[in-house]
Amino acid sequence: MGFSSEVIAAVRGDSQPEIRVLLAACQPSPADIGDTRAVRAPDPDRLFDIARLNKMLGWLPISPARLPPSCAGLAPRLLQVRMQTAKMNRHAMTVTAEAVRAATAAGLRHVVFKGPFQQLTVHDDPFRRPSGDIDLYVAPRDRKRAGAVLQGLGFAPLEQDQSLWWVSFLGEQHFKRESDGAVIDLHHRLQQAGLPDWRGAEDVLDRADCVTHDGVRIPVLSSVDGCLLMAVSLAKALLAHEPCGWAAAELTHSLARLDAAERARLAKVATRSGQDQTLALGLALARACGEHPAVETGDPASLPGLPSDPAILRDLVFQPWQREAEAPRRRQMLGMLAKGRPHILAVEALRAALSQQVRALLARQAAKASAR
């Protein structure tokens, strides 16, 4: 899990009133978050921590009048978070535009995903969630050339001692520029070991849309690929037992923007890329987190091993530490998402096993080096 035991200890126990506040705040249709219909009033500190862990502080209103009465005192803290997010994301947008100009000049096909520009396309608001790094996707054959372009902008590769694992198994490499602290994650895969591969991932480059920022055309994921990426993000978080309320909300909002033709296209792209079961999983989790016509599709029976109780699914999204026994295990998850494709199950199970072995080997080597 990506959070310390101390952080998780602070939010163990009953967080249902706080989760109800977040669920009301993140629905595509406006909802009154003051009326949570809970046994107890939401606790402001617990609400702040649950929202922070789920990357959802930006969903909470900064007006005291729009917060639950017991949490009105959070307004100044939420305003400060909003201002910090705006500052961070403005910097990310500026650096993104710089990287896009350089990649375009070098003739590299690329697309920006996640981050403020994806938030802009879904919410018309690039400051909904803080973005500490920039995610850039290129075709696998262009990975090294794209890395050279970034180095030409003053970025240097990070985690050199772990590059075998990051590049080979996670399909990404991290670059940082010391002069301004900017970080770019250069991806050449859209999936990770332990989950079905995204077949034909390069097709996202053909389907990409564009937004303009400071006179630069920024290629971003199409609305269809944005939905699919959120489903993948939910699957990754479920596999890692990490809170992911932000991804469930993002998937619901992304789906709500699709028309009938785009929804049909999404189903086709999901099947063609081998992510149909992943999309079904994303829909099941989003559906457990809120009633909206956009997520009222999918067959729960197609996900063997996934709990059917919406309350359990909701906890797996917002507070997985409360449901460790009910969470699907790694092999169970892969079997569920690779259903009907035994060859995919075998290949990805092997890749996941190799990933763990390589990571353990690199960790031992690093430990030996530091002990010298």
Side-chain angles (χ1 to χ4, degrees):
M1 184 176 289
F3 303 100
S4 69
S5 57
E6 291 79 11
V7 170
I8 300 304
V11 290
R12 283 195 180 277
D14 176 28
S15 294
Q16 293 306 319
E18 292 75 28
I19 291 173
R20 289 190 185 97
V21 171
L22 289 178
L23 289 174
C26 72
Q27 297 308 306
S29 302
D32 180 8
I33 71 171
D35 177 20
T36 61
R37 301 178 187 178
V39 174
R40 65 167 174 82
D43 176 79
D45 291 331
R46 183 176 283 268
L47 173 60
F48 191 90
D49 286 339
I50 287 288
R52 179 171 60 88
L53 290 171
N54 281 277
K55 304 178 184 178
M56 296 183 72
L57 286 170
W59 292 94
L60 294 173
I62 57 177
S63 167
R66 294 182 56 208
L67 288 164
S70 62
C71 298
L74 282 179
R77 293 174 69 186
L78 294 173
L79 176 60
Q80 184 179 26
V81 167
R82 193 72 58 90
M83 293 172 65
Q84 290 171 340
T85 298
K87 180 180 179 180
M88 181 183 296
N89 287 15
R90 283 195 191 100
H91 180 243
M93 294 171 80
T94 299
V95 175
T96 299
E98 180 188 4
V100 165
R101 279 195 299 265
T104 301
L108 284 169
R109 300 180 73 212
H110 60 284
V111 68
V112 175
F113 65 99
K114 297 192 288 188
F117 286 108
Q118 204 68 33
Q119 295 171 42
L120 183 63
T121 63
V122 176
H123 308 293
D124 303 316
D125 173 12
F127 310 128
R128 186 59 59 94
R129 186 165 56 87
S131 295
D133 51 36
I134 296 153
D135 292 282
L136 199 67
Y137 172 79
V138 297
R141 63 179 175 275
D142 291 330
R143 176 182 65 83
K144 291 184 178 180
R145 199 153 60 97
V149 168
L150 295 181
Q151 291 182 71
L153 296 176
F155 288 85
L158 296 174
E159 303 144 336
Q160 291 287 66
D161 58 333
Q162 298 284 317
S163 63
L164 174 63
W165 184 70
W166 280 105
V167 173
S168 301
F169 293 99
L170 267 68
E172 60 185 279
Q173 188 173 16
H174 304 155
F175 292 80
K176 182 176 181 178
R177 186 164 59 190
E178 292 300 330
S179 61
D180 60 358
V183 175
I184 294 181
D185 295 348
L186 181 62
H187 298 255
H188 59 279
R189 289 172 58 88
L190 294 176
Q191 193 51 284
Q192 69 176 42
L195 297 173
D197 191 27
W198 185 315
R199 294 199 305 262
E202 290 181 47
D203 292 344
V204 304
L205 299 171
D206 298 323
R207 294 189 292 263
D209 293 328
C210 280
V211 297
T212 301
H213 176 69
D214 285 347
V216 180
R217 286 172 58 83
I218 310 291
V220 297
L221 291 178
S222 69
S223 56
V224 164
D225 289 314
C227 289
L228 207 51
L229 182 70
M230 283 304 104
V232 169
S233 296
L234 281 165
K236 286 182 178 180
L238 189 62
L239 187 66
H241 306 293
E242 293 183 348
C244 54
W246 71 273
E250 197 90 349
L251 177 58
T252 300
H253 279 257
S254 298
L255 289 165
R257 295 176 72 103
L258 302 184
D259 58 27
E262 289 171 320
R263 289 188 70 89
R265 187 181 178 207
L266 171 61
K268 290 180 180 177
V269 170
T271 300
R272 190 162 60 242
S273 60
Q275 299 300 315
D276 48 336
Q277 286 291 97
T278 303
L279 178 60
L281 173 63
L283 285 167
L285 295 175
R287 190 161 52 244
C289 295
E291 297 178 359
H292 191 277
V295 296
E296 293 302 321
T297 57
D299 178 15
S302 70
L303 298 165
L306 187 71
S308 58
D309 185 346
I312 295 177
L313 295 180
R314 203 157 44 243
D315 280 348
L316 288 175
V317 169
F318 282 93
Q319 48 178 4
W321 49 85
Q322 295 289 100
R323 298 288 189 173
E324 294 173 356
E326 291 94 342
R329 298 300 179 258
R330 182 173 294 273
R331 186 167 182 81
Q332 186 181 20
M333 272 276 291
L334 181 55
M336 178 172 62
L337 299 183
K339 181 183 176 184
R341 295 174 291 161
H343 60 294
I344 297 295
L345 175 61
V347 168
E348 294 302 329
L350 176 61
R351 192 158 69 93
L354 288 174
S355 169
Q356 293 174 345
Q357 291 177 11
V358 169
R359 190 177 192 184
L361 174 63
L362 293 174
R364 287 195 299 270
Q365 290 177 345
K368 288 180 180 178
S370 62
R372 289 172 187 164

